[in-house]
Amino acid sequence: AIAVAVERDAGVRRMRDDEWPVAEHLDLDLAFNSIGFSLQGSGSLMDNRIASVAGGIAEFHEPLLSLDIDAKGSGEKLRLLMISSPLNQEYGEHLRAVTLRGDATVALALRLPLNRSPGEKRIDGTVDLSRASLADSRWDIAFTDVSGRTRFSRQGFATANLSVRLP
């Protein structure tokens, strides 16, 4: 079961889930209605700036937390965040072997059933790189000028038309 709580600590609002790092410095607008709530705002997660987050729970009797998140920042910080997320369970070996330098833009859709509510957790997203550097220590490969989009989910990572340059 997932327990999501919003805490106040020395004036800093935090949101946590047992599988994800603590979200901090949240600036959220919450709107409660008679059957659920919605939210929108910004914050940070493991030193990654979240430019926008929107979502909520449509109906409390079937609590499915939906969050759509847009972030832009250091590719390396985003890689470290993925290592600290549920993606690490299946892909940690790959995530730990990769080095990513440069900026990345991430769009992420999370669907998290709370308590014993029906449905599976979903993580779907994209990472856009522009002129980044990417290396993998296992295969002794390194690319520069990496540009393009990679899709990811709990099922894996996939990319098409990623342009790279060999040094």
Side-chain angles (χ1 to χ4, degrees), residues 40-58:
Q40 65 180 33
S42 60
S44 87
L45 190 59
M46 285 187 61
D47 209 21
N48 290 283
R49 179 80 182 124
I50 299 169
S52 79
V53 58
I57 296 175

Side-chain angles (χ1 to χ4, degrees), residues 87-98 136 138-139:
L87 293 169
N88 188 57
Q89 293 171 352
E90 294 291 325
Y91 307 105
E93 172 190 351
H94 308 292
L95 292 168
R96 284 186 298 279
V98 169
D136 190 311
R138 295 168 300 176
W139 298 306

Side-chain angles (χ1 to χ4, degrees), residues 20-21 45-48 73-88 91-106 127 129 133-138 152 157:
W20 287 87
L45 190 59
M46 285 187 61
D47 209 21
N48 290 283
S74 156
E76 186 61 15
K77 287 180 183 178
L78 290 166
R79 182 187 73 85
L80 293 172
L81 173 59
M82 285 192 241
I83 290 171
S84 297
S85 80
L87 293 169
N88 188 57
Y91 307 105
E93 172 190 351
H94 308 292
L95 292 168
R96 284 186 298 279
V98 169
T99 303
L100 180 58
R101 304 251 189 274
D103 290 335
T105 302
V106 174
V127 177
L129 300 174
S133 297
L134 182 65
D136 190 311
S137 61
R138 295 168 300 176
F152 63 90
F157 294 79

Side-chain angles (χ1 to χ4, degrees), residues 15-77:
M15 190 163 162
R16 67 175 172 79
D17 164 328
D18 292 336
E19 291 187 332
W20 287 87
V22 173
E24 298 182 307
H25 309 290
L26 298 173
D27 183 9
L28 296 176
D29 292 323
L30 298 167
F32 290 88
N33 58 40
S34 60
I35 60 172
F37 78 93
S38 63
L39 64 85
Q40 65 180 33
S42 60
S44 87
L45 190 59
M46 285 187 61
D47 209 21
N48 290 283
R49 179 80 182 124
I50 299 169
S52 79
V53 58
I57 296 175
E59 298 182 28
F60 286 128
H61 75 276
E62 290 184 9
L64 174 68
L65 178 62
S66 296
L67 297 173
D68 295 315
I69 301 167
D70 292 312
K72 184 173 183 175
S74 156
E76 186 61 15
K77 287 180 183 178

